[in-house]
Amino acid sequence: MTEIVLGVGASHSTLMNTHWEETYHKDRAERFRDALGEARDALAAARPDTVVLIGSNHFRGFWLDLIPSFTIGVDECLASGESGTPKGPQPVDRELALYLAGALVERSGFDVAFSARLQIDHGQSHAVQYLLDGLDVDLVPLVVNVFAPPLPTLDRCERLGRAIREAVLAFPGDRRVAVIGSGGLSHRLPWPDWREPHGEDEEFMVGAWTDGRENWQDYDARRREIIRAAEAALNPEFDEEFLSWLEGGQAHRLTEYTTADLEKVAGNGAQELRTWLLMAALLDHAPGRRLAYEPMPEWLTGMGVAVLDPAQTQNSERQS
């Protein structure tokens, strides 16, 4: 019997790797890093065989010539290795990944794209680096389009999470499955709506997203400069509210937002919360436990870590 044994939501930022020494809120940074370690220990204790790793793509694996809403990696998975994150082949649970790709079409009506040679970036490899360090697990990578509108609605993401949960639990094999949602909380990136760039920097970014499939490294120096020059735009009040929802098993309330409303309140980077929402739905919205929340303006992002443990929920229900 296949079980879903743990869920983890965690923010990511490559600036944690590349600009640690320039980070002036060191106390906050260290609390966030320690929370990643605590979540990693919780994953180790849960003894998963496979991790469904849900993340975004920052135009290193997908380009404006083709942007699926959802893509499952079913065979090879290559990490791009930018900014000190892991590089190269990642282990994939091919049997479960192929099963999910088929089951979602045949059972749930989700025509999810698949890739037999998926390239992931720090949207997922940041989690590999910090949450799966030293763990012997295979992955089922799931990439969600959160940056190239039109984006999948939050409601559709929540329903996809529930559909994947049903498919995982019906898998005829025997797995202990954990789920990671990797993405930022509130933040605003200096990234344009590709359909309407304004100014030289935005036109450069859209050009990089269009032409970078074979040569994305050529664009990275200037892209990095644009990102580093951006001013932080965080909304800690929104982040606190979302994390309180997660702790109360109510992350589904995020579906009350439209894509435009979410950007207005929490920034374009908060569209990555789709990964947390999918993770929570896969855990059937079990109540969560916050391990950290730290607003990090020098990383441009609200940095949070939380775990959802269905075993603790079941124990609480038995005692009540």
Side-chain angles (χ1 to χ4, degrees):
M1 183 181 73
T2 294
E3 305 172 76
I4 299 176
V5 295
L6 197 76
V8 176
S11 306
H12 60 241
S13 172
T14 57
L15 298 172
M16 177 176 170
N17 288 355
T18 60
H19 288 74
W20 182 267
E21 294 307 318
E22 291 86 346
T23 299
Y24 51 86
H25 290 105
K26 277 289 197 308
D27 54 342
R28 301 181 189 177
E30 288 171 354
R31 285 195 292 268
F32 173 73
R33 186 175 59 184
D34 290 347
L36 289 179
E38 187 176 348
R40 182 266 175 208
D41 292 345
L43 282 163
R47 298 180 289 106
D49 303 298
T50 301
V51 171
V52 177
L53 179 52
I54 306 166
S56 53
N57 191 283
H58 302 73
F59 297 99
R60 291 184 179 83
F62 291 95
W63 308 90
L64 289 178
D65 56 8
L66 183 62
I67 300 281
S69 293
F70 309 106
T71 305
I72 293 180
V74 298
D75 199 343
E76 293 181 41
C77 177
L78 305 171
S80 58
E82 84 279 18
S83 303
T85 54
K87 182 177 183 179
Q90 304 298 313
V92 172
D93 185 339
R94 187 172 183 270
E95 183 181 9
L96 179 58
L98 282 168
Y99 168 82
L100 290 177
L104 289 171
V105 172
E106 295 168 6
R107 296 162 57 108
S108 305
F110 278 95
D111 301 323
V112 174
F114 67 88
S115 172
R117 184 170 292 167
L118 179 68
Q119 178 166 312
I120 60 174
D121 62 26
H122 71 271
Q124 298 187 316
S125 56
H126 194 278
V128 172
Q129 183 175 17
Y130 291 100
L131 296 174
L132 301 180
D133 181 32
L135 303 187
D136 183 16
V137 296
D138 291 331
L139 305 179
V140 175
L142 173 65
V143 179
V144 183
N145 171 30
V146 301
F147 289 124
L151 309 182
T153 65
L154 291 156
D155 178 67
R156 186 155 178 80
C157 291
E158 203 273 343
R159 286 188 284 123
L160 176 61
R162 291 182 181 275
I164 296 175
R165 173 183 173 81
E166 291 178 6
V168 167
L169 296 179
F171 179 59
D174 185 11
R175 298 283 196 284
R176 293 176 63 84
V177 175
V179 187
I180 294 175
S182 177
L185 299 175
S186 70
H187 64 300
R188 183 170 296 281
L189 296 170
W191 287 17
D193 182 328
W194 69 272
R195 300 166 296 187
E196 195 175 6
H198 297 284
E200 188 178 344
D201 283 348
E202 292 193 358
E203 289 175 359
F204 165 80
M205 295 291 268
V206 173
W209 298 345
T210 305
D211 301 326
R213 179 175 290 280
E214 304 300 333
N215 55 347
W216 61 265
Q217 295 94 337
D218 296 344
Y219 295 95
D220 261 17
R222 182 172 175 188
R223 179 157 66 173
R224 201 74 177 165
E225 291 175 0
I226 294 171
I227 291 172
R228 287 294 297 159
E231 292 186 8
L234 311 185
N235 186 339
E237 292 77 18
F238 169 85
D239 293 338
E240 291 285 352
E241 181 174 45
F242 174 75
L243 290 171
S244 71
W245 289 346
L246 193 78
E247 290 174 311
Q250 296 185 319
H252 53 80
R253 293 184 61 179
L254 194 66
T255 63
E256 297 169 7
Y257 284 89
T258 66
T259 296
D261 289 342
L262 183 60
E263 176 168 348
K264 184 177 181 180
V265 171
N268 58 355
Q271 306 295 356
E272 290 182 326
L273 278 171
R274 283 163 172 77
T275 65
W276 289 62
L277 181 61
L278 271 154
M279 178 276 295
L282 260 152
L283 270 292
D284 198 24
H285 294 289
R289 180 166 62 93
R290 181 191 323 201
L291 303 184
Y293 172 67
E294 304 293 342
M296 291 296 296
E298 55 268 64
W299 296 353
L300 304 179
T301 308
M303 306 297 289
V305 185
V307 297
L308 277 63
D309 186 345
Q312 289 194 359
T313 303
Q314 291 164 4
N315 290 337
S316 298
E317 290 174 349
R318 280 195 290 268
Q319 291 170 4
S320 62

